[in-house]
């Protein structure tokens, strides 16, 4: 699928553009309330951070904002509420649905509950026959899995319109906002049900071992969790509608496209984007598909790529790349130095597995940044939120590496703010064995083309 849908629309404003207002990008559960609270996915930064930054950019009318690693859609949501056109790209189908749901207009608040009631009614009346390899069976007893699949099928049947379908399956990136919202309610219900299999790593959900009991709950519990979520979402959306009425001159929501695409091969129309705001995948061994395993299981029959293959395609994957990768000059000097030190590190697997997975990360990042830069207008800006980390005792200065990569791809750093984080989203090896500073630095890098 391509992302080259945005029309070319003139030069971006002057390079002496407004200084950006950069709040802390630190994620904060307290800020995730109301409608926001229903999208508790691994987010790069809070909505307030995105909103303040976009507002301070003083973008012209008709400006196009891009987030190439859109995740739960913080950028596209903020851009849309400010009235800008926007495009969000992500490779994970779950994130496409989540980002689309987040854009549901508050005028839809009243429709959600009756729809959910009808869906539950049909699901009880005609439970489907489950395919033997249905991924839900990984966590649930067959009866529970069949009921969940029934709800999913009914959302699909009643709300995924013909526009979304083609001979090669359902195009998840064209799914309606209402269908996406009901999927998110089902995701959250399943997440609650599989809570016993959460592990100490917040991005990892265990699959029960063959000796462990799978989830066996009455249908009514599943139905109740789903209905509670829909009720909560509907109330949060109605509250947002009331709050919006109090805002003078509230802009009309901007148009937004959410595309299922890989940034390594995305096709952006050249010089079509005014502003990029994004947080790229981290280089801290976060498996972005493992973090959404249960949601991927719900979407099972709609997926075109099997979960493991999807995981391998992700930037930051923990899987070793198939083909050998050479270090490129385009990755910059700091990256080359870091990779050399990593390869020479005496610890086990440094020269093998870890070296190869890091090569894969930098290769995919560089190729994605090249495409992102081509899509940006001359004078356009790109803001990337990146975090440093440690490989054992070696500092992986990702902010510096990304700065150098940006320069290699025709961008100039115009502003930078660093924020110290006390805890690190770091599951790299060696946390206990090696002496290294606690926490991490999250850097907001503002480039201009
Ligand atoms: C740090 S998260 C972005 C968080 C986002 N800013 C938010 O507010 O939720 C990085 C995202 O990059 C996506 N991703 C990883 N590799 C990708 C690729 N090759 N192409 C497109 N998206 C990718 C992941 O699925 C994940 O959602």
């Amino acid at each position: 699928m391509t992302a080259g849908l945005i029309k070319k629309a003139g030069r971006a404003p002057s390079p002496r553009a407004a200084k950006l207002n950069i709040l802390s990008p630190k994620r904060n559960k307290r800020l995730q309330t109301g409608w926001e609270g229903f999208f508790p996915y691994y987010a790069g930064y809070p909505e307030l951070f995105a909103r303040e930054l976009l507002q301070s950019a003083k973008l012209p009318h008709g400006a196009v904002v891009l987030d190439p690693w859109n995740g739960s859609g913080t950028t596209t949501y903020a851009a849309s509420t400010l009235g800008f056109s926007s495009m969000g790209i992500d490779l994970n189908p779950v994130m496409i649905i989540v980002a689309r749901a987040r854009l549901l207009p508050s005028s839809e608040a009243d429709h959600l509950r009756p729809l959910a009631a009808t869906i539950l009614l049909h699901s009880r009346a005609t439970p489907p026959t489950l395919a033997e390899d249905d991924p839900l069976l990984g966590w649930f007893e067959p009866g529970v899995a069949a009921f969940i699949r029934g709800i999913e099928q009914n959302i699909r049947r009643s709300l995924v319109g013909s526009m979304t379908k083609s001979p090669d399956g359902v195009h998840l990136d064209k799914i309606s906002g209402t269908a996406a919202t009901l999927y998110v309610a089902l995701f959250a219900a399943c997440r609650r049900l599989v809570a016993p299999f959460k592990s100490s790593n917040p991005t990892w959900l265990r699959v029960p071992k063959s000796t462990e009991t799978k989830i066996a709950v009455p249908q009514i519990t599943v139905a109740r969790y789903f209905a509670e979520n829909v009720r909560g979402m509907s109330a949060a959306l109605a509250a947002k509608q009331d709050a919006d009425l109090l805002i003078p001159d509230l802009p009309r929501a901007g148009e937004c496209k959410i595309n299922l695409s890989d940034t390594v091969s995305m096709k952006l129309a050249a010089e079509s984007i005014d502003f990029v705001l994004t947080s790229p995948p981290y280089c801290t061994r976060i498996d972005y598909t493992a973090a959404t395993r249960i949601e991927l299981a719900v979407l099972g029959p709609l997926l075109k790529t099997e979960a493991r293959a999807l995981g391998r395609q992700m930037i930051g994957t923990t899987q070793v790349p198939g083909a050998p990768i050479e270090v490129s000059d385009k990755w910059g000097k700091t990256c080359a130095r870091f990779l050399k030190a990593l390869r020479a590190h005496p610890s086990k697997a440094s020269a093998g597995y870890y070296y190869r997975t890091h090569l894969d990360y930098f290769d995919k990042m560089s190729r994605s940044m090249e495409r992102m830069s081509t899509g940006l207008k001359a004078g356009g800006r790109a803001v990337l939120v990146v975090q440093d980390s440690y490989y054992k005792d070696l500092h992986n200065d990702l902010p510096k590496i990304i700065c150098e990569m940006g320069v290699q791809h025709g961008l100039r750093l115009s502003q930078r703010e660093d924020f110290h984080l006390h805890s690190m989203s770091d599951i790299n090896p060696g946390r206990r064995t090696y002496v290294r500073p606690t926490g991490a630095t999250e850097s907001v890098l503002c480039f201009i083309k």
Side-chain angles (χ1 to χ4, degrees), residues 43-44 69-72 74 90-92 261-263 279 281 288 314-315:
W69 296 287
N70 196 39
S72 61
T74 313
D90 208 283
L91 184 55
N92 186 345
S261 185
D262 183 347
T263 51
S279 70
Y288 286 97
M314 291 275 161
I315 301 179

Side-chain angles (χ1 to χ4, degrees), residues 35 38-39 72 77 95-105 175-185 233 237 258:
W35 181 240
F38 288 95
F39 306 94
S72 61
Y77 176 66
M95 290 309 175
I96 297 297
I97 291 194
V98 169
R100 279 196 81 83
R102 201 165 181 175
L103 293 166
L104 188 72
I175 194 172
S176 78
T178 320
T181 306
L182 293 175
Y183 267 114
V184 171
M233 292 175 102
L237 211 51
I258 305 284

